[in-house]
Amino acid sequence: MLFALHSVQGEEGLRALLLDRPQRAYDVKPVIRSILDQKDDGTLDFEELQAKWAPNIVVGLGRLGGRSVGVVANNPLRKGGCLDSLSAAKAGRFVDVRLVRRAAAGA
């Protein structure tokens, strides 16, 4: 199953979140909220992990098109989105955990 941009809630709203000038910093969290699915009660189906550690990268679990996904996104609002050793370690651990969970599930 492929992802289709038209499945995003408010495609035009997503475009409005991205700045006209790419040199400007923005918070990636509203972009993530716009892309991922919402639960039946209207709340976001996303669980950010380790939000206070290495905030220049956002990692978490969510749903996209009804499927479970892992999210790894650099956050330009923090340190310009640059990856440092802490954020690289955070992303690496997240990917390792996702691979272990996937292997355990037999996928």
Side-chain angles (χ1 to χ4, degrees):
M1 178 166 84
L2 298 175
F3 173 71
L5 182 60
H6 69 280
S7 67
V8 174
Q9 304 95 8
E11 178 182 344
E12 292 305 317
L14 178 61
R15 293 183 198 286
L17 291 171
L18 302 176
L19 302 175
D20 292 334
R21 295 177 44 206
Q23 302 87 348
R24 300 287 311 256
Y26 63 92
D27 188 4
V28 76
K29 292 178 185 181
V31 176
I32 293 170
R33 284 193 290 268
S34 295
I35 294 172
L36 294 179
D37 295 348
Q38 294 182 355
K39 295 180 185 176
D40 292 336
D41 63 2
T43 60
L44 182 64
D45 199 0
F46 177 66
E47 182 68 33
E48 184 178 357
L49 305 174
Q50 300 175 323
K52 294 184 180 183
W53 184 59
N56 47 326
I57 194 159
V58 176
V59 300
L61 302 169
R63 292 204 167 270
L64 180 62
R67 300 184 83 175
S68 177
V69 295
V71 175
V72 179
N74 63 327
N75 192 355
L77 192 62
R78 304 295 180 132
K79 296 185 181 182
C82 292
L83 298 180
D84 55 14
S85 59
L86 291 177
S87 60
K90 178 179 173 179
R93 281 193 198 100
F94 177 73
V95 170
D96 286 345
V97 167
R98 289 290 295 163
L99 290 175
V100 167
R101 287 183 66 193
R102 185 173 185 196

